[in-house]
């Protein structure tokens, strides 16, 4: 399977248009059509309907494989590039919104460090593709368990910090006076789906063993205070690390009695030559 054809297919699905995908990729629309036709011939199945442009059942199944395959190819390219990498003088890193506080206890070494705050998926993609030296990611996990990250290449992960999670509720919510609640009891509550800031709802379904936790509101930003303001205004519930939740005004906080989950931050990196990135990774690990 030609990865160039696969990238074209993903672009068409993402944009829902052959012409928009062509513009994004720098191809002609005719070239995009030829790529899709060649991929369909190779796989022996129709992948896209044309009007409207949407994946067929076979195309939807291919999309489940396409992103991990392309990301793994980017990881291989970046890993080979690191073999000949000279010691870096600068430092570039990416972090998720709720992991960046870990940097407050680890001064950034080197000159002119470059910090990018991205969503969880984008952060992992950046370090996998070698766009940044290392990354800080966060999520919910059982105490001392590693984060359930995708297998995206020969990357090293290391615990940086763990802290309790807090359920964030509007101040007048009936559960606001409770010291702790069971997560499974909230499966039918109204939730805010904030995949890059709060704990993603699919993770809550796995943790509670429930197919509930449906979103009433979707927030695609990375501002924790904005997420808290949505909770305060009654748009739904969310889970945040306790230290971040305490910064939000107009809400109530309660703990989880079951399951026992913590908010965990990890540093993720590939091969690190001598330089600021290695120094920072060692500092973050030592701080843990």
């Amino acid at each position: 399977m030609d990865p160039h054809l696969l990238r074209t297919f993903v672009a068409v699905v993402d944009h829902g248009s052959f012409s928009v995908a062509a513009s994004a990729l720098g191809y002609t629309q005719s070239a995009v059509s030829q790529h899709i036709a060649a991929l369909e011939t190779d796989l022996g199945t129709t992948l896209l309907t044309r009007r409207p442009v949407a994946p067929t059942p076979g195309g939807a199944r291919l999309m489940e494989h396409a992103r991990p395959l392309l990301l793994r190819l980017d990881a291989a390219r970046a890993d080979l590039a690191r073999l000949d990498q000279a010691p870096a003088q600068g430092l570039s890193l990416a972090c998720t919104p709720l992991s960046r506080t870990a940097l407050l206890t680890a001064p950034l070494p080197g000159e002119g460090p470059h910090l990018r705050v991205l969503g969880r998926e984008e952060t992992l993609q950046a370090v996998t593709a070698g766009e940044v030296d290392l990354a800080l990611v966060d999520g919910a996990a059982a105490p001392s368990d590693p984060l359930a990250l995708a297998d995206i290449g020969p990357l090293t992960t290391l615990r940086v910090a763990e802290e309790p999670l807090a359920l964030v509720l509007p101040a007048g919510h009936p559960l606001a006076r409770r010291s702790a609640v069971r997560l499974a009891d909230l499966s039918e509550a109204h939730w805010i789906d904030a995949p890059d800031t709060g704990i993603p709802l699919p993770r809550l379904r796995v943790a509670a063993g429930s197919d509930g936790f449906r979103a009433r509101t979707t927030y695609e930003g990375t501002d924790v205070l904005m997420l808290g303001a949505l909770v305060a205004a009654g748009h739904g519930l969310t889970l945040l690390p306790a230290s971040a939740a305490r910064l939000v005004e107009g809400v109530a906080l309660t703990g989880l009695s079951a399951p026992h989950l913590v908010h965990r931050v990890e540093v993720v990196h590939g091969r690190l030559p001598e330089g600021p990135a290695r120094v920072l990774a060692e500092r973050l690990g030592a701080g843990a």
Side-chain angles (χ1 to χ4, degrees):
M1 188 184 306
D2 188 331
H4 297 293
L5 304 184
L6 196 59
R7 290 186 193 279
T8 301
F9 169 72
V10 170
V12 172
V13 173
D14 284 345
H15 294 290
S17 165
F18 280 68
S19 60
V20 177
S23 178
L25 295 170
Y27 297 152
T28 65
Q29 184 171 339
S30 175
V32 168
S33 297
Q34 290 173 15
H35 284 191
I36 298 302
L39 186 60
E40 290 178 328
T41 299
D42 180 30
L43 297 177
T45 187
T46 301
L47 300 172
L48 295 167
T49 59
R50 269 48 177 185
R51 294 185 181 181
V53 175
T56 63
R61 183 62 59 87
L62 179 60
M63 279 296 292
E64 295 176 9
H65 298 279
R67 294 189 199 281
L69 284 170
L70 293 174
L71 190 56
R72 195 65 190 253
L73 287 172
D74 289 340
R77 185 184 299 275
D79 196 40
L80 290 174
R82 293 186 190 106
L83 293 176
D84 299 321
Q85 194 175 52
Q89 300 305 311
L91 170 67
S92 62
L93 65 151
C95 64
T96 54
L98 292 178
S99 68
R100 56 188 170 183
T101 54
L103 297 172
L104 300 179
T105 58
L108 300 182
E111 298 181 2
H114 184 198
L115 172 63
R116 300 163 62 186
V117 179
L118 303 171
R120 289 186 173 97
E121 184 175 335
E122 293 174 310
T123 298
L124 281 174
Q125 288 176 349
V127 71
T128 298
E131 297 171 8
V132 296
D133 299 318
L134 50 79
L136 285 170
V137 296
D138 76 286
S144 300
D145 278 1
L147 294 177
L149 303 178
D151 180 13
I152 51 178
L155 298 176
T156 299
T157 62
L158 181 67
R159 173 187 177 274
V160 173
E162 283 184 6
E163 66 170 304
L165 280 166
L167 175 66
V168 187
L169 314 124
H173 194 279
L175 297 176
R177 297 178 181 271
R178 298 273 295 272
S179 60
V181 295
R182 294 176 66 251
L183 185 60
D185 293 341
L186 299 171
S187 63
E188 300 305 318
H190 292 154
W191 287 87
I192 299 175
D193 183 17
D196 291 327
T197 310
I199 303 302
L201 298 188
R203 179 70 183 90
L204 301 189
R205 295 185 193 110
V206 171
S210 168
D211 60 357
F213 300 98
R214 300 302 169 187
R216 179 182 187 183
T217 304
T218 299
Y219 174 59
E220 295 183 352
T222 57
D223 186 336
V224 177
L225 295 183
M226 181 62 191
L227 176 58
L230 290 172
V231 174
H235 292 290
L237 313 182
T238 192
L239 278 176
L240 289 173
S243 60
R246 286 193 287 267
L247 300 176
V248 180
E249 298 181 354
V251 298
L253 309 179
T254 187
L256 293 179
S257 58
H260 190 187
L261 294 175
V262 296
H263 179 258
R264 181 180 173 100
V265 176
E266 294 180 354
V267 62
V268 183
H269 61 80
R271 175 182 172 272
L272 289 178
E274 295 297 331
R278 178 180 289 274
V279 171
L280 179 59
E282 292 172 350
R283 286 178 181 175
L284 291 169

